[in-house]
Amino acid sequence: MDEFRAIIEPFRIHSVEPIRMSDRAEREAHLREAGLNLFALHSQDVLVDLLTDSGTGAMSSEQWAGLQRGDESYAGSPSWFRFLAAVRELFDFPHVIPTHQGRAAEKILFTVLGAPGRVIPNNTHFDTTRANVEFSGAHAADLPVAESRTPSLEHPFKGNMDVAALATLLEARAADVPVVFVTVTNNSGGGQPVSLENLRAVRAVCDRHGVPLFLDACRFAENAWFIREREPGQAGRDVADIVREMASLADGMTMSAKKDGLANIGGWLAVRDDALAEQCRNLLILTEGFPTYGGLAGRDLDAIAQGLREVVDHDYLHYRIRSTAYLGDALHAAGVPVIRPIGGHAVYIDAGALLPQIPALQYPGQALAYELYATGGVRGCEIGSVMFGRRPDGSEVPAAVELVRLAIPRRTYTQSHIDYVIEVVLAVAARAEELRGLRIVEQAPALRHFTARFESLA
Ligand code: F0G
């Protein structure tokens, strides 16, 4: 337990960005213009932006110094070697392939490994991962543990993969499975961590069938902190050391440095296999860039290198995980249904439970996200049937759960911003029964949540 209730952010503020205040009438006008899609808002019209934790964190003074050090040589820049050393300090893979963000790494990998008739299992695919798997023609199979399906259930490692389900799949079809993925933390499953024990068990099943194991490692440091806090035998261990053990269990990884790289842009693909690396590098050169910069400027490589050192700092992670829990625990204590326990990077409100009057295909998550913005200028993100409800053939099925994610950018908002968010959510929850659903009037065939336009059914 912490001695004091106040969360002391382990940094001082060095430069500030103004937030423009607005009222409900203005925000409703912005929503109408945006087709009721929060992705279409101008970010300057948002008071507290919890749309994503991706690329939106504040960089440290040392990262800004790294930008100055950035060397823009086309090939073999010192920025590249600093980046490579920082990645290898945590993830000791022989081949590191820099990309402009996580999905570029996914696109390259699944172009090589995916194909019709193949299956890619994951604890839960994130939207871009699923879309890249499906674009290759392969099937994206989600195999989370059963506990992850009950939002209110307390369990220390709800991000775990269902090892028995994986074993059954591989016994039947190992030849069709080019790689098994585990996402740490499990973003679509509520930002829930995966235990080392689960990773070891998944590894053992993969080994029995000769299938490689990859990590979708975007939030590796937050996952490792939860392992340190919650897994028997891991208390007091250095987080960097836990990360190295996670990496040692895998044959490769995809990474978005926009999360636990503490950077605004960047990512990488890392692999052990030489032949796979060569195929991936050939694609990298076609679409991203030369192998020593990928899709990144030298200055970005330096910002990531420094970010990777800062993200495993225990004071930072203590503050990070505690401030996410602060928001989630306050909502939970006030009776708002949220995914329990609170995950690492976000609080997930169970909009299906909060708004039982709205059927899944009238998008309770979107209705709640609309109302949080209209009421208080707080922008969250629907993770439910808008995001996952459309199948590749165009038919619609409800998602497993209807959530609104309030993702917390790293080192960006203070406790008083979060106190404001708590008040806004509680004001909306107090009149939940007045909310009505929406229908989609325009949509894209894949990743429709980014551009869909809606009409209110009120
Ligand atoms: N994998 C996971 C688990 C993610 O959460 C994301 C991005 C990606 C891959 C793709 O990385 O954005 O760099 O291309 N998640 C962001 C989010 C967008 O809001 O959760 P990217």
Side-chain angles (χ1 to χ4, degrees), residues 34-294:
L36 313 191
N37 187 334
L38 283 80
F39 280 103
L41 292 171
H42 294 214
S43 63
Q44 286 192 325
D45 298 328
V46 176
L47 261 68
V48 180
D49 203 349
L50 307 183
L51 183 68
T52 179
D53 62 318
S54 181
T56 49
M59 291 209 294
S60 67
S61 44
E62 283 303 315
Q63 285 181 288
W64 285 105
L67 294 194
Q68 277 296 332
R69 255 191 314 274
D71 179 303
E72 304 305 335
S73 303
Y74 190 90
S77 142
S79 297
W80 156 251
F81 290 105
R82 286 191 285 266
F83 167 86
L84 185 62
V87 171
R88 288 240 177 91
E89 209 172 300
L90 295 171
F91 304 96
D92 195 16
F93 293 111
H95 302 284
V96 179
I97 298 172
T99 59
H100 78 276
Q101 61 185 89
R103 68 198 71 181
E106 294 163 5
K107 170 74 176 139
I108 289 171
L109 184 69
F110 294 123
T111 300
V112 176
L113 295 182
R118 295 192 181 163
V119 186
I120 315 287
N122 200 321
N123 43 354
T124 311
H125 289 83
F126 187 63
D127 60 351
T128 61
T129 325
R130 169 173 289 279
N132 273 302
V133 167
E134 289 174 350
F135 189 76
S136 79
H139 172 66
D142 288 342
L143 305 177
V145 285
E147 288 86 347
S148 75
R149 297 205 174 85
T150 311
S152 59
L153 187 80
E154 300 278 349
H155 181 282
F157 291 105
K158 261 172 137 173
N160 282 351
M161 180 174 259
D162 183 337
V163 179
L166 178 69
T168 306
L169 174 70
L170 291 185
E171 270 147 35
R173 303 192 53 185
D176 299 327
V177 180
V179 62
V180 171
F181 254 83
V182 175
T183 304
V184 293
T185 58
N186 187 355
N187 184 6
S188 306
Q192 301 290 322
V194 176
S195 68
L196 275 177
E197 185 191 23
N198 187 250
L199 276 179
R200 288 192 203 104
V202 169
R203 171 85 240 177
V205 173
C206 289
D207 282 346
R208 274 212 298 283
H209 297 277
V211 176
L213 169 63
F214 272 51
L215 299 177
D216 176 343
C218 300
R219 299 176 180 85
F220 68 85
E222 291 167 8
N223 197 97
W225 181 260
F226 281 121
I227 287 174
R228 183 181 194 267
E229 295 280 288
R230 295 183 184 168
E231 188 157 352
Q234 301 299 321
R237 198 171 162 195
D238 181 27
V239 163
D241 198 43
I242 296 174
V243 174
R244 284 188 280 271
E245 182 169 351
M246 289 159 62
S248 75
L249 292 165
D251 299 293
M253 67 189 289
T254 54
M255 175 70 190
S256 169
K258 304 174 72 167
K259 285 85 173 173
D260 276 351
L262 295 178
N264 301 129
I265 197 73
W268 68 86
L269 167 65
V271 303
R272 290 197 199 285
D273 186 85
D274 297 338
L276 176 61
E278 192 186 327
Q279 283 176 286
C280 292
R281 278 208 186 92
N282 290 339
L283 287 172
L284 181 86
I285 293 170
L286 279 181
T287 60
E288 291 280 294
F290 188 74
T292 66
Y293 70 85

Side-chain angles (χ1 to χ4, degrees), residues 384-445:
S385 292
V386 176
M387 188 179 275
F388 293 117
R390 191 176 201 268
R391 288 181 168 160
D393 69 3
S395 63
E396 263 200 316
V397 274
V401 273
E402 303 296 333
L403 305 172
V404 170
R405 184 184 73 169
L406 303 177
I408 321 283
R410 293 169 180 76
R411 306 189 291 202
T412 302
Y413 292 113
T414 63
Q415 194 170 8
S416 74
H417 289 112
I418 300 301
D419 282 330
Y420 172 80
V421 173
I422 293 167
E423 285 189 46
V424 171
V425 176
L426 296 188
V428 171
R431 46 189 173 72
E433 73 279 4
E434 293 166 22
L435 271 58
R436 293 293 169 266
L438 307 123
R439 67 187 188 90
I440 294 182
V441 291
E442 244 180 77
Q443 61 181 306

